[in-house]
Amino acid sequence: ARLTRIAILPARDGPATGEPSGPPAPPVGTGPYRFVRSREDGSLEFAPHAAYHLGSPSIPRIILTRIADDAERARAVAHGQVDLAPIRPEETGPFRRRSNTWVVRMLTGAWRGMPLNMQHPALQDIRVRQAIDLSLDRQEIVAAALPSAGRPAYQPMSPLSFAFSAKLDEPYADPGRARELLDQAGWFTSDRGLRYRGRNPKTQVAFGTAALPPRDAVALASASGTAGAAAAEEGGPDSDGPLTLKLLVPRDDTFRLRAAEVIRAQLRRVGILVEIDAVDAAAYASGTASMDDRYDAWIGEWDSLLDPGGSLYREFHTDGRENRTGYSNATMDRMLDLCRGATDKTAAKDLYERLMENLRPEAVVLPLAYPETLFAARTRVAGLRESVIDDVSGFSRNAWRWHLEDE
């Protein structure tokens, strides 16, 4: 069977015409738990669905509470305030040593990456985007940001998906080539190792028998008609300042914060500055939902396990609803349409590999890592299973199996 993400709802619960006139209707579903209410503290309450096809679950009530901060979530489990929560890899030790907690590892169909905003004039040059991509050492990023809980990503597809390409699963970082591409794009290195647009600021201008240093060449420009490329060092007529990326990350997400720091160091080695803006969850959602010239890149996560064609279409197609980079390529659109419409699995796999081979040099959304998700749980929650989930929100997929025991 070929499954999709299309939700089938009763007609009375379908999209209404016009503007909503009242509070949102309760969500509709067929899972093991039904929505009861949204509580005053923002948490959500669920009760067993008596008509669930595998039988009504035994836990009488489940409360979902949003805790954005990684450290705060871990403390909540340790102190018994919640029974189950995702945790960081470095926090697993204490939970494994306690007699009343344990750790569950979930493989995910998610991949994490860094989209580049095509509204940035410099990023409209494919050579600059390729240089950024070639500067990234994914192994170093994963070692720092996902120790023992992930692996480097070299394509926008989960290794758990049939569409994953073993052929593309190889490191390709090449800082030397990245520097060459930046030179070719007209971004030359200053004495401080930063990249400025214009003539090479290290070029000297001959005057008589002496070679003038670049800064002196600026004074000669108006008289000689030779633009002093050293003006780029100060943002002169051949420069708009150093090549800089404004990188948006949520401040409560340990992986993205650490990955951003490593990326900043790696890009600085080829002369690109990175300014990290770590914001709260609301500002992050707002910033990534309507990308403008405020940010040039961000670190996000996408799932590709249940619907690889739809995932790639949403992110890379000109009309994709999650295409926030401004990327548009007619050839890629046609390939995405073919992948999305393929019905033969073998033929589809070949299409996906060709598509991703062609997407890599476009360097629009740069894959970084494939995460695993670790959950800390109180031992009183029995029936949890290590399994595969599409993303962290799928942790409750087997909730109908859960039951409570005495600690």
Side-chain angles (χ1 to χ4, degrees):
R2 188 172 181 224
L3 304 180
T4 75
R5 286 177 175 270
I6 296 175
I8 301 175
L9 303 175
R12 67 179 183 276
D13 297 311
T17 59
E19 295 296 324
S21 57
V28 176
T30 59
Y33 285 85
R34 60 179 179 82
F35 176 76
V36 175
R37 65 186 175 112
S38 178
R39 293 151 54 116
E40 292 183 359
D41 62 0
S43 60
L44 305 177
E45 181 177 339
F46 296 83
H49 178 195
Y52 183 56
H53 71 287
L54 292 175
S56 181
S58 65
I59 298 178
R61 185 176 61 165
I62 289 182
I63 307 296
L64 292 183
T65 301
R66 177 175 174 76
I67 305 176
D69 184 78
D70 292 334
E72 188 178 342
R73 281 199 306 273
R75 286 192 296 271
V77 178
H79 296 160
Q81 297 167 340
V82 301
D83 293 295
L84 173 69
I87 59 171
R88 296 175 295 184
E90 62 269 28
E91 293 168 333
T92 59
F95 288 105
R96 287 192 169 106
R97 290 191 292 270
R98 291 189 179 97
S99 61
N100 60 351
T101 60
W102 65 302
V103 175
V104 186
R105 180 184 297 268
M106 302 279 191
L107 298 177
T108 78
W111 61 277
R112 294 175 180 170
M114 185 172 72
L116 300 178
N117 187 357
M118 302 283 282
Q119 296 183 66
H120 188 310
L123 296 178
Q124 294 172 11
D125 189 327
I126 193 171
R127 295 169 296 186
V128 174
R129 302 198 306 271
Q130 290 173 346
I132 293 171
D133 191 25
L134 291 169
S135 300
L136 301 182
D137 182 339
R138 275 78 170 175
Q139 292 168 307
E140 182 182 10
I141 292 170
V142 169
L146 278 177
S148 303
R151 52 171 288 193
Y154 304 105
Q155 59 189 289
M157 188 62 60
S158 166
L160 302 176
S161 170
F162 81 91
F164 179 79
S165 170
K167 176 181 176 181
L168 299 177
D169 190 33
E170 295 289 341
Y172 59 90
D174 189 345
R177 177 59 181 156
R179 295 184 183 94
E180 292 176 0
L181 287 167
L182 290 171
D183 287 342
Q184 293 171 14
W187 291 93
F188 295 109
T189 309
S190 72
D191 291 335
R192 291 187 295 147
L194 300 179
R195 292 280 173 170
Y196 291 81
R197 182 181 290 284
R199 296 175 179 83
N200 191 335
K202 296 183 179 179
T203 301
Q204 296 188 341
V205 179
F207 186 78
T209 58
L212 298 178
R215 193 171 299 276
D216 293 328
V218 178
L220 294 174
S222 59
S224 67
T226 303
E233 184 73 16
E234 304 300 331
D238 292 322
S239 170
D240 294 322
L243 180 54
T244 304
L245 290 184
K246 299 175 185 176
L247 177 57
L248 177 66
V249 294
R251 67 184 176 211
D252 295 322
D253 189 303
T254 302
F255 165 79
R256 298 181 212 207
L257 283 172
R258 291 180 178 174
E261 292 291 347
V262 177
I263 289 169
R264 175 161 61 183
Q266 291 178 348
L267 292 185
R268 182 62 181 83
R269 293 168 197 159
V270 299
I272 301 174
L273 286 179
V274 174
E275 297 175 357
I276 300 172
D277 193 0
V279 300
D280 62 30
Y284 177 78
S286 173
T288 58
S290 56
M291 289 303 294
D292 49 32
D293 58 2
R294 289 178 298 165
Y295 301 106
D296 307 313
W298 71 101
I299 298 178
E301 179 174 303
W302 299 266
D303 57 80
S304 60
L305 187 58
L306 295 181
D307 183 14
S311 174
L312 292 173
Y313 185 96
R314 291 190 297 272
E315 190 64 29
F316 294 101
H317 197 280
T318 300
D319 298 326
R321 70 171 184 266
E322 293 178 13
N323 180 353
R324 299 163 191 155
T325 62
Y327 176 67
S328 180
N329 183 304
T331 300
M332 293 297 104
D333 285 351
R334 286 192 293 272
M335 295 185 72
L336 287 161
D337 289 335
L338 287 172
C339 288
R340 199 180 189 196
T343 56
D344 180 79
K345 194 171 184 178
T346 301
K349 182 173 177 60
D350 292 338
L351 286 172
Y352 283 121
E353 184 167 89
R354 285 171 45 209
L355 170 66
M356 291 187 292
E357 280 181 319
N358 283 275
L359 276 174
R360 177 177 287 180
E362 293 292 295
V364 177
V365 182
L366 313 183
L368 298 176
Y370 301 120
E372 296 175 358
T373 300
L374 301 172
F375 291 89
R378 307 288 297 187
T379 53
R380 81 188 194 108
V381 183
L384 293 173
R385 295 188 177 186
E386 296 190 358
S387 60
V388 176
I389 57 178
D390 204 41
D391 56 37
V392 68
S393 65
F395 77 95
S396 59
R397 179 172 298 168
N398 296 319
W400 63 278
R401 299 178 184 270
W402 301 354
H403 58 277
L404 297 180
E405 297 180 348
D406 294 331
E407 286 188 335

